[in-house]
Amino acid sequence: MDGKGIAAALVLGAQAAQLGTAFLCCPEAGIHPGWKQRIARTSDDGTRLTRLYSGKYARGIVTDFMEQLRPFEQDVPPYPIQNALTGEIRQAAGKQNRLEMMSLWAGQGAGLARALPAAELVHTLTDELIIALPKR
């Protein structure tokens, strides 16, 4: 979510770092405004893996939907069946601003997201990475 995190991944041997969630709060991201607000307020332990929405494991912000159906998670059908079964629920929830019924996908570092324009975020991450990388 920042240059230090990217540097840590590279120093540990990664070839790259994926920062999808870092860009969800950018003005260019076309996600529900309430989703952006939830990302900004998410704590370190505010996300978890679930297959309740789609039938495939994905990490998202913990919602009432996830908590209430957690006891049945191993019983849901696989993707794409579960995805089709919950599709109308998710669409209606978005239209009704019922965030607790939406799939609010986000990575573990969600709370560190910054509401910067995407180009500015890329430049900021690059600057942070240059500062954080060990000198050779």
Side-chain angles (χ1 to χ4, degrees), residues 44-107:
D44 291 344
D45 61 351
T47 65
R48 77 169 176 85
L49 291 171
T50 186
R51 50 187 299 276
L52 288 167
Y53 292 105
S54 70
K56 286 184 180 181
Y57 277 106
R59 182 170 295 280
I61 296 170
V62 177
T63 63
D64 289 346
F65 182 90
M66 289 167 65
E67 289 300 301
Q68 291 173 11
L69 294 177
R70 191 175 202 165
F72 311 102
E73 189 155 5
Q74 295 309 313
D75 300 324
V76 301
Y79 179 86
I81 298 166
Q82 181 69 3
N83 194 55
L85 291 172
T86 64
E88 287 183 31
I89 295 169
R90 291 179 279 120
Q91 286 180 353
K95 290 175 185 173
Q96 296 171 21
N97 293 317
R98 296 188 61 198
L99 297 174
E100 291 303 319
M101 300 301 287
M102 293 172 56
S103 51
L104 305 176
W105 304 128

Side-chain angles (χ1 to χ4, degrees), residues 10-52:
L10 296 175
V11 168
L12 291 172
Q15 296 296 310
Q18 180 176 329
L19 283 77
T21 302
F23 290 89
L24 288 179
C25 288
C26 294
E28 298 91 338
I31 66 172
H32 191 284
W35 184 359
K36 289 183 183 189
Q37 292 170 359
R38 286 289 300 271
I39 289 170
R41 295 191 320 255
T42 299
S43 63
D44 291 344
D45 61 351
T47 65
R48 77 169 176 85
L49 291 171
T50 186
R51 50 187 299 276
L52 288 167

